[in-house]
Amino acid sequence: TQLLEQSPQFLSIQEGENLTVYCNSSSVFSSLQWYRQEPGEGPVLLVTVVTGGEVKKLKRLTFQFGDARKDSSLHITAAQPGDTGLYLCAGPKTSGSRLTFGEGTQLTVNP
Amino acid sequence: GAGVSQSPSNKVTEKGKDVELRCDPISGHTALYWYRQRLGQGLEFLIYFQGNSAPDKSGLPSDRFSAERTGESVSTLTIQRTQQEDSAVYLCASSLRTYGYTFGSGTRLTVV
């Protein structure tokens, strides 16, 4: 059983569409992070959310941490082909411990 | 250096041979992690070094896998008697404690 469940596993959309991907857990996390991995590269940190209910925006990407700190979502507005990649959420099992990663959402944005 | 450096970037080896993968973390990063990523899949944790503490080896899949780190610098991941199922991308990351990880670009290992 994965500590962090991501959905959907795969998502293929057209350029200009909006999308949301989810990261859920039955456990409370002190923080959650989102990474994006492009082909042939390692994952790159996009954002860290720490406070329950927190919303962070990064250009067309909006990240939200659930009030109970058990889940997070990533919303992309007007997706572009450059958004294509594997999106991973991650969080520490306990405060100060190493990160546990979800299985990821593979996003493909078609021109 | 400015980022995490891994070498080689690609490695093709024959089944049964030993391989050594190298990771140069960001200077000053106390924590170093190794992950394995099979094609189209997520990250599989292998091993974690934090300063001078005993490493967390709980993710190593078999005794053919081992890793070392000298102080807070370079780490090497060694796979002995490679098998075809070892074919994957091996990613290294470093961080200050357990803050955001900085990943290298990985070593793509192919066992033929």
Side-chain angles (χ1 to χ4, degrees):
Chain A
T1 302
Q2 285 290 322
L3 192 61
L4 287 168
E5 300 277 351
Q6 290 192 243
S7 61
Q9 189 177 357
F10 298 96
L11 186 57
S12 180
I13 62 170
Q14 294 300 120
E15 182 175 1
E17 293 183 358
N18 302 332
L19 67 114
T20 302
V21 298
Y22 300 91
C23 174
N24 295 302
S25 177
S26 57
S27 303
V28 175
F29 282 85
S30 57
S31 65
L32 279 179
Q33 299 177 4
W34 285 92
Y35 292 77
R36 177 171 64 209
Q37 183 179 24
E38 298 181 13
E41 298 296 328
V44 174
L45 177 65
L46 296 175
V47 76
T48 301
V49 286
V50 179
T51 306
E54 181 177 6
V55 176
K56 282 193 174 179
K57 293 192 175 183
L58 188 66
K59 297 183 181 178
R60 294 176 294 97
L61 278 60
T62 301
F63 304 85
Q64 184 160 10
F65 201 11
D67 291 341
R69 292 186 287 124
K70 291 183 178 182
D71 55 84
S72 181
S73 63
L74 159 59
H75 182 80
I76 302 179
T77 303
Q80 299 177 1
D83 296 326
T84 293
L86 178 68
Y87 288 81
L88 296 157
C89 68
K93 285 184 184 178
T94 58
S95 182
S97 69
R98 64 172 174 84
L99 297 178
T100 292
F101 283 83
E103 288 290 297
T105 292
Q106 182 62 57
L107 172 66
T108 303
V109 182
N110 302 297
Chain B
V4 176
S5 178
Q6 291 189 245
S7 59
S9 54
N10 283 284
K11 176 72 176 178
V12 180
T13 190
E14 292 182 351
K15 178 181 172 182
K17 295 282 180 70
D18 297 352
V19 295
E20 225 176 59
L21 313 180
R22 178 187 170 103
C23 173
D24 278 280
I26 290 175
S27 178
H29 278 192
T30 55
L32 186 147
Y33 317 82
W34 283 97
Y35 288 86
R36 179 168 69 180
Q37 187 174 35
R38 292 201 166 98
L39 188 62
Q41 298 190 13
L43 304 181
E44 177 186 0
F45 167 72
L46 296 177
I47 189 167
Y48 159 41
F49 296 90
Q50 173 60 60
N52 293 319
S53 302
D56 175 358
K57 303 180 181 180
S58 60
L60 293 178
S62 77
D63 59 8
R64 295 187 296 105
F65 288 72
S66 63
E68 293 183 349
R69 187 183 187 195
T70 306
E72 293 184 355
S73 61
V74 171
S75 176
T76 55
L77 175 69
T78 301
I79 309 173
Q80 296 179 312
R81 305 180 303 281
T82 52
Q83 304 294 314
Q84 287 186 329
E85 63 262 28
D86 299 334
S87 295
V89 174
Y90 290 82
L91 289 163
C92 173
S94 70
S95 72
L96 276 173
R97 299 185 181 177
T98 55
Y99 299 139
Y101 292 5
T102 302
F103 284 86
S105 297
T107 294
R108 181 175 300 278
L109 176 66
T110 304
V111 182
V112 298

